[in-house]
Structure formats: C-alpha cells, structure tokens
Amino acid sequence: MAELAGLDDPKTRAVNERHGDDHGVNLGKLRALAKRLKTQQDLARRLWETDDTAARLLALLICRPKAFERDELDVMLREARTPKVHDWLVNYVVKKNPHAEELRVSWSADPDPVVASAGWALTTERVAKKPEGLDLAGLLDVIEAEMKDARDRLQWAMNHCLAQIGIEHTEHRTRAIDIGERLQVLKDYPTSPGCTSPFAPVWITEMVRRQQDGGPA
C-alpha cells in the first residue's frame, strides 16, 4: 500500500477522475509492479479488501482468476465502485472463471444497471467466441426495446453487443444496422481521428470492411 501511495501522481489522478476512477497510479507502473509480484491469490484478496482503487486494480492483475467462487465474484462485482475496476474484474477475471456463464445469465437480468452491464459484456464475449446456444434474435429484441433508455454503462454494453452481432453474424447484420439507425444511440459520440465510431451502423460497416480487406478487425 505504501508503494502504491508512492506511485500516486496528481496529474494522472486528475485525468482518471474525469473518467470516474479515483486513483493516480500510472497503469504501466501498476503492471510492472504486478509483474514483479507475480500471482499471489492471498495477497490479491487482501488488496481487494482495502477498498482502494489502485490496490484493487493490482489485485486483479496478480490474482488467480479460476480460484474465485461464484458468490465471491458476485460480491466483488457489486463492490466494484469505479469503471476501471469493474472492467478489469469482468475482462481479466470473470471471463476466465468456470462460473462465467452462470454469472452472465444472472447478471444480465439484474435490476442494477451496472451489474447488468457486466452480464451484457459477457454476452458480447460469447457472441464473438462461442455463439452456439445463444438466441441472437432474442438478444436483438431486448436491445431494440431497452437500449435507448438504458443507463450509460448498460447502454454502452448493449450497444457493443449489438455491434458484435452485426459484425460476426451475417444473417443478423441488416437488422442490427437497422436497430442502430433507428435508435441513434452514440451517434454523436466524439471519436478521435483514426478511431472507429461506437455508433453501431458505422462500427459494423467498418469492421466488416476490414475483415473483407483482410486487415485487422
């Protein structure tokens, strides 16, 4: 904890806080520290219990993802107060855990929009990598009905799922683009030069074009 405090930089903190993340540790330095510590599950649990954002990010880098029980991960997700901790928990830990599918189903139906967004993130992963057994048309029905009025993080996750369905599944592409066009979600999102807009119709079209050109998707 003392070492993390020593890495805290006011300028980094100011940038992070604009995104809702209350820590000032450069992520490159955090990863270097994690590399030095290597995997330490007990230390990871103790770091998580501090409720400090930088400590929790470090915990997620040095933990053993498959060692967590289902209920433990559910509690951790509900405790994850900041966007970066939430994202790293889902992407670095839950996706590699044997209970991921069970959590995907329960979180997707959760009344808390931040918890539900984690369920949608896991669904997007399945759309891309293991779509067998998913009701893609049913997912599009839910997105069409609920995405427009969803809270920020949940809306973002549903939009990502919409784009992924359109990119990966030709038979649903036209409908995915049509839903995006009608709902207009993230159409005006500021996009840096060289980056792809998160507006689903643009995102889908661009990724499909890259795939067809043989470039990076």
Side-chain angles (χ1 to χ4, degrees):
M1 291 305 293
E3 190 163 350
L4 285 172
L7 291 172
D8 196 281
D9 174 64
K11 288 182 181 175
T12 303
R13 179 175 286 275
V15 171
N16 288 338
E17 284 182 345
R18 288 204 293 273
H19 299 103
D21 292 309
D22 57 349
H23 77 95
V25 180
N26 174 281
L27 295 181
K29 291 179 179 177
L30 195 71
R31 291 181 189 279
L33 178 55
K35 194 172 181 181
R36 198 180 82 220
L37 290 169
K38 299 188 169 65
T39 303
Q40 296 192 48
Q41 182 69 5
D42 290 342
L43 177 58
R45 283 198 166 101
R46 284 161 59 203
L47 286 167
W48 184 271
E49 287 165 6
T50 66
D51 195 27
D52 176 83
T53 295
R56 284 186 162 181
L57 291 173
L58 181 60
L60 296 171
L61 292 174
I62 66 168
C63 72
R64 190 173 291 109
K66 293 179 180 176
F68 292 103
E69 295 299 326
R70 178 202 180 284
D71 290 348
E72 194 174 7
L73 289 173
D74 185 67
V75 170
M76 289 170 72
L77 186 82
R78 293 171 197 279
E79 290 176 344
R81 297 174 294 101
T82 65
K84 186 68 73 179
V85 171
H86 176 101
D87 289 343
W88 282 21
L89 175 61
V90 173
N91 288 299
Y92 296 173
V93 180
V94 180
K95 283 181 180 178
K96 299 173 183 176
N97 185 274
H99 302 289
E101 177 60 15
E102 200 181 335
L103 289 167
R104 180 189 76 82
V105 174
S106 65
W107 286 345
S108 295
D110 199 276
D112 182 330
V114 176
V115 174
S117 74
W120 279 92
L122 294 171
T123 299
T124 302
E125 173 90 348
R126 269 203 62 187
V127 166
K129 296 185 177 177
K130 194 181 173 186
E132 299 79 15
L134 279 181
D135 178 7
L136 297 177
L139 287 172
L140 289 175
D141 289 343
V142 176
I143 291 167
E144 188 170 20
E146 299 178 12
M147 182 170 75
K148 182 80 172 176
D149 299 318
R151 299 280 290 276
D152 291 355
R153 287 180 68 78
L154 177 54
Q155 186 183 70
W156 187 273
M158 292 175 99
N159 183 72
H160 190 178
C161 190
L162 172 66
Q164 203 71 54
I165 291 172
I167 293 163
E168 303 286 346
H169 301 279
T170 315
E171 69 277 20
H172 296 288
R173 187 170 296 152
T174 300
R175 186 182 173 202
I177 290 173
D178 178 61
I179 289 170
E181 291 285 6
R182 280 186 290 108
L183 298 185
Q184 299 282 291
V185 168
L186 298 174
K187 184 176 184 186
D188 300 320
Y189 191 85
T191 306
S192 303
C195 295
T196 304
S197 168
F199 179 48
V202 173
W203 190 354
I204 293 167
T205 304
E206 174 62 16
M207 290 298 122
V208 171
R209 183 190 67 75
R210 290 187 198 179
Q211 287 172 356
Q212 291 170 343
D213 289 351

